[in-house]
Amino acid sequence: MSEFAEIILDGKSYQLPVVEGTENEKAVDISALRAQSGYVTLDSGYKNTGATTSAITFLDGEQGILHYRGYPIEQLAEKSNFIEVAYLLIYGSLPTQQELNDFSNKIRLHTLVNEDMRKILDGFPSTAHPMGILSALISSLTAFYPESLNPNQTKEEVDLSIIRLMAKLPTIAAWSYKNSIGHPVNYPKNKLDYCSNFLHMMFAYPTEEYELNPVVVDALNKLLILHADHEQNCSTSTVRLVGSANASLYSSVSAGISALWGPLHGGANQAVIEMLEAIKADGGDSKKFIAKAKDKDDPFRLMGFGHRVYKNFDPRARIIKKAADEVLTALGINDPVLDIAKELEEAALNDPYFVERKLYPNVDFYSGIIYRALGIPTDMFTVMFALGRLPGWIAQWKEMRENKEPIGRPRQIYTGATKRDYVAVENR
Ligand code: SDX
C-alpha cells in the first residue's frame, strides 16, 4: 500500500506521496504542493530537505554509516585504492582488472596540461591561496577544451572530459604549490601510479632523485578514498546546481572547489591545524578553548567538530585517527598538536555542551595532522580535500545529467517592502 502524507491548509486536505529509498529512508514528495495549494515549504540550509534521489553514496548520520555504491567505507579504505574507488563512484561498479587498467592508463596519458596554463599560473602572486588558483585553472580547462561546453556531448566525449579532469587536477594542484614557493614545477611521470605521481610533482626537485615512501603513498591513498564522496554536501550540491544549468563539467567542478574552500566545509582541515597551533602557542590549555567554543558571545568554534548529518562519530574520523597514529609512528614523528587534538577530543566528548548537541570529531579533525606528517603545507590541505572529492563531484554531476534533472531553482518567501511608488530624488 503506497503511503502518503496528509497536510491540511486553509481547511483543505492535500495528500502528498511518500518516497522510500533502498535503505528505508523516507521523504514526502512535495513536487505538486504549490500547484495544488499555492504553498511552498521553507527550510533554511536544507536541513530537512532532499534535493534529489541518488544511487552513489549512502550515509546514516545517527549510525555513523558511510557506503560508496553499497560498499562500506571501512572495507574500501582497507582493501581498495583511490583510482578503483573513483571508477566505482563514477561508473557504479567495481572495475574488472581490464577496466581498471584501461581507466588508469587513460588517466596517465592525460596528466600534462597545455603549456599556456603556466602563463595563467605565473599571473598569480605567490601569496595566492592554492584553492583560488585551483578553481580558476579548472575553469580555464573550458578554454583549452571548448567542446566540453556542449551540453549534448556523447558518452565518449563526457568520458574524455572525466579522464582529463581526473588526470589534470593533480598536476594543476602540485604546480600551484610549486608556484607559491617559487620552485620549478615537476612534470608528471607516466610510470608512477596516481598518488605517487602527485607526491613526485609536489616534492621532487630537478636537482635530485625523489625517494617515494610507501607509508606516505599508502596514507595518501587512504585519505583520498575517505574524502571521495559524501552525498549532497555543500560543494557537491553546488556542482549539481551549476551543472543543472547545462554548465560544463569543468565549470561545475570549479564552482564546487570554491564552495569547498569555506572554513565551515572543506576549509575546516586547514582551520583545525591553525586552531591546534594557536592552542599550542597559547600554552596548550585545551579546557580554555573548550570554554571559548561553548561561549555564545565568542565566535570561536572547535573546528573539526560537529557535522550537519553525523550525530554520531564520523566513520571517516575513526579511520583517519587510527591512520594518524600509524603514520606518525612509521615516520618517527612526534607531533605535539596530535596530543592536543586527543586532549580536545577527550574533553569535548565528556562535556555536556558537545554531548547534548551531538558534536563529534568529523573528517577534518585529524586529516590535517596526517597531511602535515606527509609534508603537505597547511594551505594545501583543502586542495587535498578537493583532490579526494573530485570523483564524487564527477559522479554526482554525471548522475544529475543522466537523470535529466531540471535546472535547480529554489523558491523563497518574500519579506521585503510591499508595493510603493518611486519618489524623485529631490523629494526624498
Ligand atoms: C565537512 O556536509 C558534509 O558532508 C560535509 C563534509 C563532507 O565530507 O563533504 O563532511 C565535510 O564540511 C565537515 C564539517 C567541517 N566543518 C567544521 O569542522 C567547522 C566546525 N563545525 C561547524 O561549524 C558545524 O558543526 C557545521 C557547519 C559542520 C554543521 O553546522 P550545522 O549542522 O548547521 O549546526 P549548527 O551550526 O546549527 O550547530 C548546532 C549547535 C549550535 O549551538 P546552539 O545554537 O544550538 O546553541 O552546535 C553548535 C552551534 O553553536 N556547534 C558548535 C560547533 N558546531 C556546532 N559549537 C562549537 N564548536 C563547533 N564546532
Side-chain angles (χ1 to χ4, degrees):
M1 185 264 286
S2 63
E3 263 190 285
F4 62 84
E6 180 180 22
I7 182 169
I8 296 170
L9 297 167
D10 306 325
K12 201 170 167 218
S13 163
Y14 300 90
Q15 297 201 338
L16 299 167
V18 168
V19 172
E20 182 165 354
T22 50
E23 288 281 358
N24 310 315
E25 297 166 303
K26 293 186 177 181
V28 176
D29 180 343
I30 59 168
S31 47
L33 178 65
R34 189 171 186 276
Q36 291 176 0
S37 70
Y39 280 66
V40 295
T41 57
L42 204 53
D43 184 19
S44 176
Y46 312 113
K47 293 191 176 187
N48 306 278
T49 299
T52 188
T53 58
S54 177
I56 299 169
T57 292
F58 169 70
L59 62 88
D60 180 322
E62 283 66 32
Q63 305 297 320
I65 293 171
L66 174 58
H67 295 169
Y68 293 161
R69 301 281 189 183
Y71 296 96
I73 190 66
E74 294 80 5
Q75 293 182 27
L76 293 171
E78 197 53 45
K79 299 174 181 166
S80 186
N81 65 69
F82 179 60
I83 288 303
E84 181 176 80
V85 167
Y87 186 99
L88 170 67
L89 286 166
I90 295 168
Y91 294 106
S93 55
L94 285 173
T96 60
Q97 191 58 59
Q98 186 58 48
E99 288 166 336
L100 184 57
N101 294 347
D102 289 348
F103 189 56
S104 300
N105 293 334
K106 280 179 190 160
I107 288 173
R108 278 200 182 96
L109 294 176
H110 287 273
T111 49
L112 283 174
V113 295
N114 188 304
E115 283 292 311
D116 281 348
M117 207 171 252
R118 292 186 61 169
K119 295 178 186 139
I120 306 170
L121 190 56
D122 291 343
F124 282 96
S126 59
T127 52
H129 194 290
M131 282 296 274
I133 297 174
L134 189 65
S135 179
L137 291 186
I138 292 299
S139 181
S140 79
L141 288 172
T142 53
F144 296 103
Y145 307 103
E147 68 278 12
S148 64
L149 295 170
N150 169 13
N152 304 310
Q153 281 187 305
T154 63
K155 182 189 175 310
E156 292 68 30
E157 288 167 327
V158 171
D159 283 344
L160 179 55
S161 293
I162 289 170
I163 290 292
R164 280 176 170 149
L165 195 46
M166 282 296 297
K168 297 178 194 303
L169 193 142
T171 306
I172 292 168
W175 283 20
S176 68
Y177 167 57
K178 287 297 196 182
N179 186 61
S180 73
I181 56 174
H183 287 186
V185 297
N186 292 307
Y187 283 87
K189 280 188 175 179
N190 286 350
K191 67 180 180 187
L192 298 176
D193 64 59
Y194 197 82
C195 288
S196 301
N197 212 352
F198 175 71
L199 291 165
H200 153 76
M201 290 190 282
M202 278 286 287
F203 299 119
Y205 292 101
T207 47
E208 54 200 58
E209 267 311 299
Y210 174 66
E211 193 84 12
L212 281 160
N213 181 331
V215 171
V216 174
V217 176
D218 179 56
L220 180 57
N221 238 315
K222 191 169 283 190
L223 280 164
L224 296 183
I225 289 172
L226 292 169
H227 285 83
D229 193 50
H230 214 241
E231 55 137 272
Q232 304 310 314
N233 60 84
C234 178
S235 54
T236 298
S237 300
T238 302
V239 169
R240 286 183 84 120
L241 189 62
V242 172
S244 74
N246 271 353
S248 75
L249 175 62
Y250 303 140
S251 319
S252 307
V253 166
S254 171
I257 292 168
S258 296
L260 187 73
W261 195 1
L264 292 185
H265 187 18
N269 56 17
Q270 174 171 347
V272 166
I273 286 293
E274 289 165 350
M275 171 187 75
L276 294 173
E277 285 288 8
I279 294 171
K280 187 174 128 221
D282 183 77
D285 177 4
S286 50
K287 290 193 173 25
K288 173 179 166 185
F289 285 83
I290 293 271
K292 281 170 63 70
K294 291 160 61 176
D295 179 356
K296 281 282 158 245
D297 300 325
D298 189 328
F300 175 80
R301 278 202 163 185
L302 208 51
M303 300 313 277
F305 258 77
H307 197 279
R308 172 60 58 74
V309 178
Y310 287 124
K311 301 307 174 191
N312 193 323
F313 244 88
D314 181 334
R316 303 166 296 178
R318 280 190 204 285
I319 299 169
I320 292 179
K321 179 181 177 182
K322 181 169 171 285
D325 275 327
E326 289 164 359
V327 167
L328 268 67
T329 305
L331 298 177
I333 296 171
N334 172 27
D335 187 347
V337 297
L338 178 60
D339 301 331
I340 294 174
K342 288 181 176 175
E343 269 173 44
L344 268 182
E345 179 186 355
E346 186 61 30
L349 295 183
N350 293 295
D351 184 299
Y353 173 93
F354 293 88
V355 174
E356 283 155 17
R357 290 167 179 78
K358 300 185 189 304
L359 302 176
Y360 291 89
N362 59 47
V363 66
D364 295 305
F365 190 63
Y366 283 104
S367 54
I369 290 165
I370 301 188
Y371 287 142
R372 192 154 88 154
L374 302 185
I376 309 274
T378 305
D379 68 1
M380 282 289 288
F381 286 5
T382 312
V383 170
M384 299 308 293
F385 196 140
L387 192 58
R389 186 52 52 88
L390 180 62
W393 287 333
I394 292 171
Q396 299 269 352
W397 180 90
K398 183 169 173 284
E399 179 181 69
M400 178 270 305
R401 279 292 178 78
E402 285 169 352
N403 291 350
K404 300 189 178 357
E405 293 192 10
I407 185 168
R409 200 271 183 226
R411 292 281 180 164
Q412 66 161 25
I413 294 296
Y414 177 71
T415 56
T418 52
K419 185 175 176 298
R420 50 185 172 170
D421 294 327
Y422 183 81
V423 177
V425 65
E426 59 271 18
N427 300 329
R428 288 177 202 158

